Amino acid sequence: QVQLVESGGGLVQAGGSLRLSCAASGGTLSSYYMGWFRQAPGKERNFVAGISWSGGSTYSTDSVKGRFTISRDNAKNTVYLQMNSLKPEDTAVYYCARRARAYSSRDPSDFGSWGQGTQVTVAS
C-alpha cells in the first residue's frame, strides 16, 4: 500500500511563495495521474492541480492559474506544487492524491490514495 507524505506547508505573508512536496513510499507514482487538493475549514475538498504520469499534461483550477505550478520527478517518486503570489483565500490543508488510473480527474472520489495533508496559512 503506497503511503503519501506531504511537506512544505507553513505560514506565509500574502504575496509570498511555498513549495509543497509529496513523497511516496511503499509504491510508485510513476504510472499514475497525481493531484493536489485543498480543504478549508468547514468546506469541501477541492481540486487544485493535476499532472499526468509523464508530466506532459498539467491541469489546474482557475483560481490558481498563473500562480501555482504542479510538477513531478518520477525518479524521486515525488510530486511538487509550487505556489507563488499566495493569497489569504489559499489558506487550507493541502493534500496530494494518487489516482488508480492514468487518466485525469478533478473528482476526489476518483483518487484512492491520500496523504495526511499539510497546512498552508496565508496572512494578509
Side-chain angles (χ1 to χ4, degrees):
Q1 181 80 6
V2 67
Q3 291 188 326
L4 305 178
V5 178
E6 301 96 337
S7 61
L11 173 64
V12 64
Q13 294 293 316
S17 298
L18 286 173
R19 187 194 196 203
L20 305 184
S21 298
C22 171
S25 61
T28 182
L29 301 182
S30 60
S31 302
Y32 300 91
Y33 176 86
M34 296 294 297
W36 282 97
F37 294 79
R38 64 187 179 187
Q39 187 167 20
K43 299 195 174 181
E44 61 186 21
R45 191 170 297 187
N46 291 320
F47 173 82
V48 175
I51 188 166
S52 64
W53 69 270
S54 67
S57 297
T58 60
Y59 313 84
S60 60
T61 193
D62 287 347
S63 63
V64 308
K65 284 187 190 297
R67 300 188 299 123
F68 291 11
T69 303
I70 188 171
S71 61
R72 67 192 299 161
D73 185 337
N74 286 339
K76 294 183 178 179
N77 227 14
T78 303
V79 178
Y80 305 96
L81 185 68
Q82 177 67 44
M83 306 187 295
N84 299 327
S85 302
L86 283 159
K87 304 175 180 180
E89 51 264 44
D90 294 319
T91 295
V93 177
Y94 283 70
Y95 299 90
C96 70
R98 188 185 80 169
R99 189 167 186 217
R101 296 182 149 198
Y103 304 111
S104 66
S105 173
R106 300 179 180 224
D107 186 345
S109 67
D110 286 335
F111 291 76
S113 300
W114 292 83
Q116 83 290 347
T118 185
Q119 176 70 48
V120 171
T121 304
V122 184
S124 57

